[in-house]
Every structure is written in C-alpha cells, then in structure tokens.
Amino acid sequence: MSEPGSEHKRRASLSPQPQRKAPRLAAGRARALGLPTRGTTNANRLRRVDRWLLATQVPRLRDAARPLVVDLGYGSSAVTTLELVGRLGPEVNGLEVVGLEIDPERVTAVEADRDPPRVDFRVGGFELADLRPVLVRAFNVLRQYDEESAARAWDTMRAALAPGGLIVEGTCDEWGRRSAWVALDAGGPLTLTLAARVSDIATPSDLAERLPKALIHHNVPGQPVHEFLRAFDAAWAAAAGMSAFGPRQRWTAAVGSLGEQGWPLVGSSRRWRHGEVTVRWSAVAPVQR
C-alpha cells in the first residue's frame, strides 16, 4: 500500500457496510480492509519518520510486554520494513515487526525476507490482521481514499491497538525528502509532524502537498493548518539572514519563532536541526463550518 501517484483523480472509499463479494482474509481469519495501491517504494524512503520513531517511541516499545510493530502497506518490496527492523531492533529487546499488505502476491514475494518472530509478513489491512500492536507505521496508504473513508480507517486501526499503542500515519514523496505525519492513539490524533530535507524546499509551505488526508483538503484560508503554514512561511522569511549559516539553521530559527508566537510545539528542540517540527493536533485540526 504505497502512494498511488500524485494526481489522485479517482478517490477510493471504504464502504461502511460489508461488501457482498468474497472477502480476502488476513491471518486466516479477519477480513483485510482496504484496497491495494501501486506499491512503489524506495530504499531509505521512510528514513525521516523512522528517525522520529527512534527518537520518540523507543520507551513506549521498551515498556510493552510484547513490543510488536505493524508496518501497514509496505508495498512491492520488503525494503522499508527491513529498514524499520534494523533501526529499532538494536534499541528494543524482543522487537517484533509484522509487515501487512492487502495483496497476497506481495506477501508471497517477500517470503525469503521472513525471520519470525523478529520480522514477518502477512495479508492484512486496516483491521491489522487481528494483531494488537504497540506501534503502527502506515505511510502512503490513505492518500487514495476520500476523507470520510480515511477517518474510518483511522477508527479501525485505533480499535486494534494494544493498550497504550500509537499509530503514525502520513505521506512522503518518492525519495523521502518531504514528509508529514499524524500521531494518534486510541483517543484520537495527538500531533502533526512536518519533516524535510530543508535544502530541498523554498518555503515550509512546500510541505503542504504531503499533508495527511485528514488535513490536505483543509489547507485553505480560515482553517488552522493553513494559518500554521502561513505563520511558518512568515517566520522562514524573517529568518532569511540565517541562510548564511545553512538551511538547517534557518529552519531552526523559524521553528523557534513559531514557539515564541505561541504555537504549541512538542518535543525536543534538538529535532529541529533534523528538519522537523511537531505541533499539537489541537492547533491544526480542521474547523467545521
């Protein structure tokens, strides 16, 4: 389940009612919820979100009785799932990572990469194949869906989490230079993170094209996420003098200015130097009109 392309002219939807046709099965029992996507992926594409997971979620995994991670929609190759294992494994004893794909042929194709319980691959979708993970990474999965269906997918995944579990759902470009993701738990969304190769952007609002489905259609005047990006662009412009020291220093100064303006930033300022900023969801959540 990787990003199906940039045009997204035809939006998929999840029916609130079961389909009559014979369902695919995940883990031999549960119906796999969702639709297959193009499946393209690249090595190191998800490095930015993985670095964030490594910096922020290791304690959650270490505290879990069973540190189970689901990589939902790994695509046509196992590369990004194996990279996730390689990044988190040295920090978490007993780590288990299960890659899920709704297309059985993709699961068969990565049979040689299985090494259970350390890493495994199964057929499954938003129901998470009856697993109870502590952490879910769902990247480039929901861009093809309409907003209502994406919200239902959130609800389905949240219901399958282990107690204290977290979902990280977002999108990135094909080379992983521009990313955005939402962290949500059983209670709902918590934060929005933007991450970029800062030398690759002209303004922070360039990342708007990577906003998760829950936000991308709300980047219009009067909506909080639009105001956040507008404020970020203004702070970026004001920090132009820092460009002499490099784009990362300019990004860091701009993010610091956002905090001074009262935007509720989350996490250590050390992450800013990596081209990241995390803000509380309450500050960017869509406003219904």
Side-chain angles (χ1 to χ4, degrees):
M1 291 182 183
S2 293
E3 184 182 333
S6 59
E7 70 284 355
H8 308 300
K9 292 181 179 178
R10 297 182 62 186
R11 299 293 177 190
S13 63
L14 291 177
S15 171
Q17 300 297 327
Q19 299 291 329
R20 291 185 177 182
K21 62 183 179 181
R24 291 191 175 105
L25 299 180
R29 292 181 289 134
R31 181 184 174 206
L33 298 177
L35 298 171
T37 57
R38 192 173 65 178
T40 55
T41 191
N42 290 301
N44 224 23
R45 185 184 187 189
L46 302 186
R47 63 193 178 278
R48 298 189 190 281
V49 66
D50 285 356
R51 290 170 185 166
W52 183 84
L53 292 173
L54 192 60
T56 66
Q57 300 304 312
V58 166
R60 185 187 305 271
L61 290 166
R62 286 176 175 169
D63 289 344
R66 183 189 180 192
L68 174 62
V69 178
V70 161
D71 184 23
L72 180 63
Y74 55 83
S76 58
S77 110
V79 60
T80 53
T81 303
L82 297 177
E83 288 172 347
L84 181 62
V85 175
R87 287 163 180 154
L88 291 179
E91 303 297 327
V92 181
N93 290 333
L95 179 75
E96 299 178 42
V97 177
V98 177
L100 295 182
E101 259 296 343
I102 202 165
D103 185 347
E105 292 184 1
R106 291 179 185 170
V107 179
T108 301
V110 297
E111 175 68 25
D113 297 303
R114 295 180 65 244
D115 183 22
R118 181 172 176 267
V119 58
D120 203 357
F121 299 91
R122 303 183 188 180
V123 176
F126 299 123
E127 81 303 326
L128 305 183
D130 263 6
L131 298 170
R132 298 283 283 171
V134 177
L135 184 64
V136 177
R137 185 183 72 178
F139 246 66
N140 302 311
V141 172
L142 288 176
R143 283 178 70 84
Q144 69 170 326
Y145 291 89
D146 59 61
E147 189 173 347
E148 181 181 353
S149 294
R152 287 201 296 274
W154 271 12
D155 291 343
T156 301
M157 290 189 289
R158 286 166 47 213
L161 285 173
L166 189 81
I167 299 163
V168 180
E169 187 272 309
T171 71
C172 65
D173 67 1
E174 290 190 356
W175 302 107
R177 295 174 180 174
R178 303 180 182 191
S179 301
W181 59 85
V182 176
L184 55 155
D185 64 10
L190 303 170
T191 60
L192 169 70
T193 299
L194 304 179
R197 179 182 178 182
V198 182
S199 61
D200 194 51
I201 63 171
T203 63
S205 62
D206 288 350
L207 294 172
E209 66 184 16
R210 294 296 151 189
L211 287 172
K213 176 59 65 173
L215 290 175
I216 194 166
H217 300 301
H218 297 278
N219 183 28
V220 295
Q223 286 288 346
V225 70
H226 183 271
E227 294 306 307
F228 176 70
L229 290 172
R230 184 194 59 78
F232 203 172
D233 278 355
W236 175 261
M242 298 299 293
S243 296
F245 303 99
R248 290 188 181 186
Q249 286 74 15
R250 184 180 183 182
W251 175 279
T252 298
V255 175
S257 177
L258 288 176
E260 292 171 0
Q261 294 171 40
W263 289 96
L265 306 183
V266 178
S268 169
S269 60
R270 291 192 297 271
R271 303 306 306 165
W272 304 351
R273 294 195 294 271
H274 295 278
E276 285 180 16
V277 59
T278 299
V279 63
R280 293 195 185 281
W281 177 259
S282 58
V284 295
V287 174
Q288 301 301 320
R289 299 190 182 282

